[in-house]
Amino acid sequence: MKPARFAHHAPLALEEALALLAEHGEEARVLAGGQSLVPTMAFRMARPAVLVDINRIAALDHATVEGSVLRIGALARHARFETPVVAGPLGALLAQVAHHIAHPPLRLRGTFCGSLAHADPASEWCATALALQARMVLARADGLREVAAEDWFQGVFSTAIAPGEMLREVVLPIPAPSWRGGFAEFARRAGDFALAMAVVGLRLEGGVVRGARIALGGIGGQPVLAREAMALLEGQAPSSALVEETAATAARHCEPQDDMHAPAEYRRELVAVMVKRALRQAVVA
């Protein structure tokens, strides 16, 4: 199939792009990597009347450290993160996650921010952003606003973006040196959408956990925090028994969905395994 007719604009400045989004509202969509948008247009599942192509706006192509945060611009491609963009465990975790995203041609074109704007339930970056307490910076013609990752996801392919806005950048706090991360996912084939994934972040101080984040993806309509499992880790010294109990708790309290790819109970079992693997990575890192 071919997409429905649309107008294409390729502004050279962010202000021009935002003016176009303000003018066309709900009829406009932002085009960056296009690895999700273009296929849905080809199948006519998406029919934007206007595409605002931001690929010529060089100022949006960045992944830079600024003080205590990593700022990721709207044109930072997945492949950029295959080697650490920041020193320490955060850069290592992002690189690990990047290598699990689709296939090399898609990683060369698709973008970090585009993945979050699309909000596919099986997106690695979506679960990662939730685990890392990302902040989404939305731009519109009359200013900026920030949305926390926990408020960003609002259902299947649904986010807090309003008509006339675009996701300008994502801000990730750079964790303390005592922080450790872990990631694990299961897919039938390399590059396929994951049936379950877990992203873990632990702050270890004095041999005990003083901050834990566990995000689950691929199991429902949006990534979720395994809050009961996170609470179980707080103030505890890591051990094999604690890892096992935490993984079982995450699986017991999650609400996976049935679909054509896997039944809910199979996904629940995968959650326990993925959390266990990600926790072990974080503990031994």
Side-chain angles (χ1 to χ4, degrees):
M1 295 181 68
K2 295 182 179 180
R5 291 177 64 87
F6 61 88
H8 177 263
H9 299 274
L12 298 177
L14 178 60
E15 292 76 16
E16 184 183 353
L18 296 177
L20 286 164
L21 292 174
E23 177 184 354
H24 297 286
E26 293 184 353
E27 294 186 339
R29 292 288 297 273
V30 174
L31 175 67
Q35 300 308 289
S36 298
L37 176 60
V38 171
T40 58
M41 289 175 62
F43 284 106
R44 301 203 175 193
M45 297 168 63
R47 297 190 179 200
V50 176
L51 282 188
V52 180
D53 185 340
I54 62 172
N55 280 282
R56 297 184 184 183
I57 306 176
L60 297 177
D61 188 4
H62 63 269
T64 54
V65 174
E66 185 178 299
S68 61
V69 300
L70 173 66
R71 295 188 174 273
I72 301 171
L75 289 179
R77 313 289 175 181
H78 303 312
R80 188 171 195 153
F81 300 89
E82 292 180 4
T83 54
V85 295
V86 60
L90 176 60
L93 177 64
L94 295 177
Q96 182 185 4
V97 173
H99 282 283
H100 284 80
I101 296 172
H103 302 282
L106 275 70
R107 295 201 293 268
L108 288 168
R109 190 66 185 170
T111 64
F112 186 103
C113 288
S115 182
L116 289 169
H118 184 59
D120 190 300
S123 162
E124 288 87 355
W125 287 142
C126 289
T128 301
L130 185 59
L132 298 181
Q133 297 178 282
R135 303 195 310 275
M136 321 305 180
V137 181
L138 292 163
R140 56 187 302 138
D142 59 359
L144 304 173
R145 70 183 179 106
E146 287 193 5
V147 179
E150 292 186 32
D151 300 319
W152 178 254
F153 303 102
Q154 299 185 354
V156 182
F157 302 111
S158 179
T159 71
I161 296 177
E165 292 181 328
M166 65 168 282
L167 181 55
R168 191 188 77 174
E169 67 180 2
V170 174
V171 180
L172 297 180
I174 298 175
S178 58
W179 185 89
R180 298 292 183 268
F183 171 79
E185 75 169 27
F186 178 83
R188 288 194 175 92
R189 297 172 299 181
D192 279 5
F193 289 111
L195 299 180
M197 71 181 71
V199 186
V200 168
L202 299 179
R203 191 175 77 251
L204 297 172
E205 296 180 356
V208 299
V209 176
R210 295 300 183 190
R213 300 279 292 185
I214 302 174
L216 308 175
I219 63 170
Q222 64 188 64
V224 296
L225 291 173
R227 297 185 184 277
E228 294 83 2
M230 289 159 49
L232 185 63
L233 289 168
E234 289 291 341
Q236 302 296 313
S239 66
S240 296
L242 181 62
V243 167
E244 293 282 348
E245 186 180 0
T246 302
T249 299
R252 185 167 60 252
H253 288 279
C254 71
E255 297 181 359
Q257 296 179 358
D258 286 302
D259 62 23
M260 62 183 292
H261 302 293
E265 284 311 303
Y266 180 58
R267 278 197 164 95
R268 190 183 302 277
E269 292 180 16
L270 286 176
V271 165
V273 176
M274 296 306 106
V275 170
K276 191 183 306 182
R277 291 178 181 177
L279 276 172
R280 286 173 176 167
Q281 290 176 26
V283 169
V284 302

